[in-house]
Amino acid sequence: DAKTTQPNSMESNEEEPVHLPCNHSTISGTDYIHWYRQLPSQGPEYVIHGLTSNVNNRMASLAIAEDRKSSTLILHRATLRDAAVYYCILLNSGNTPLVFGKGTRLSVIA
Amino acid sequence: GAGVSQSPSNKVTEKGKDVELRCDPISGHTALYWYRQSLGQGLEFLIYFQGNSAPDKSGLPSDRFSAERTGGSVSTLTIQRTQQEDSAVYLCASSLARRGVRTEAFFGQGTRLTVV
């Protein structure tokens, strides 16, 4: 199974942009890159996903490297509410489950 | 309801008893997942149902754990002869699968299980 590697933790100042990296050097052509986050004491929530092109939604942007071996989740202006564990997950079109790794714990400083 | 519903929200049980946890997924969602999260720990995958395919049970920690999904909708996770280490929050999620591509998964609020 294709795996992802993320830093254990990151810190950001409030109102600043945050770039959360994810390496997935063994990604296959049919793997979609999904991002979820888990706020304290809550279940995970979907953030964004993409295949090859960069994606934007109301929550974040996803920048995917041309070779697809890495991607970056971009929060344009971090708020205190964005403090969470962020997970980068690869999902293909087969019947593989959504499995969470350790993720990156993002701290936001006021 | 509009979201994934889990019941009960809290369950306290005595060691050795059996418990059943229920998950009502979003209507029409073909994929259903169960996870557990012990205090301060990560999300541990338990089991995955996708349409009419055989469930992926690779995450179930022991044969005391089982799950079923009736009629492609409601799912029940059963833990037999509960142990104290089973204490955790059990989370259920559901998603669509369009032409084999999984869309976003929606999570329920979880069932907090405490084994005393």
Side-chain angles (χ1 to χ4, degrees), chain A residues 36 38 46 93-96 98, chain B residues 35 37 50 100 102 104-105 107:
Chain A
Y36 283 78
Q38 187 173 24
Y46 166 84
S93 56
N95 283 330
T96 54
L98 179 65
Chain B
Y35 302 86
Q37 189 166 35
Q50 172 55 57
R102 241 77 58 76
E104 61 184 285
F107 282 76

Side-chain angles (χ1 to χ4, degrees), chain A residues 32 34 36 38 43-44 46 49 87 91-100, chain B residues 33 35 37 42-43 45 48 50 53 56 91 100-105 107-108:
Chain A
Y32 283 74
H34 288 241
Y36 283 78
Q38 187 173 24
Y46 166 84
H49 79 279
Y87 299 93
L91 276 182
N92 63 26
S93 56
N95 283 330
T96 54
L98 179 65
V99 177
F100 291 80
Chain B
Y33 314 81
Y35 302 86
Q37 189 166 35
L43 287 149
F45 163 73
Y48 167 49
Q50 172 55 57
S53 301
D56 182 334
L91 289 157
V101 177
R102 241 77 58 76
T103 60
E104 61 184 285
F107 282 76

Side-chain angles (χ1 to χ4, degrees), chain A residues 35-71:
Chain A
W35 283 82
Y36 283 78
R37 71 179 185 180
Q38 187 173 24
L39 303 172
S41 302
Q42 295 190 30
E45 64 176 352
Y46 166 84
V47 178
I48 201 167
H49 79 279
L51 182 62
T52 55
S53 303
N54 294 344
V55 185
N56 299 295
N57 66 20
R58 64 175 178 80
M59 288 181 71
S61 295
L62 176 60
I64 301 172
E66 196 170 334
D67 63 4
R68 301 211 323 129
K69 293 183 184 300
S70 66
S71 60

Side-chain angles (χ1 to χ4, degrees), chain B residues 22-95:
Chain B
R22 177 186 169 104
C23 174
D24 282 88
I26 293 173
S27 178
H29 277 193
T30 55
L32 187 146
Y33 314 81
W34 281 100
Y35 302 86
R36 75 175 175 181
Q37 189 166 35
S38 302
L39 188 63
Q41 302 299 308
L43 287 149
E44 179 185 4
F45 163 73
L46 296 178
I47 188 169
Y48 167 49
F49 297 90
Q50 172 55 57
N52 295 321
S53 301
D56 182 334
K57 304 179 182 180
S58 60
L60 294 178
S62 76
D63 58 8
R64 295 187 296 106
F65 289 73
S66 63
E68 62 177 22
R69 188 177 185 192
T70 53
S73 180
V74 172
S75 179
T76 302
L77 178 69
T78 301
I79 309 173
Q80 295 178 310
R81 304 181 302 281
T82 52
Q83 304 294 313
Q84 287 186 327
E85 60 262 30
D86 299 334
S87 296
V89 175
Y90 289 80
L91 289 157
C92 174
S94 72
S95 71

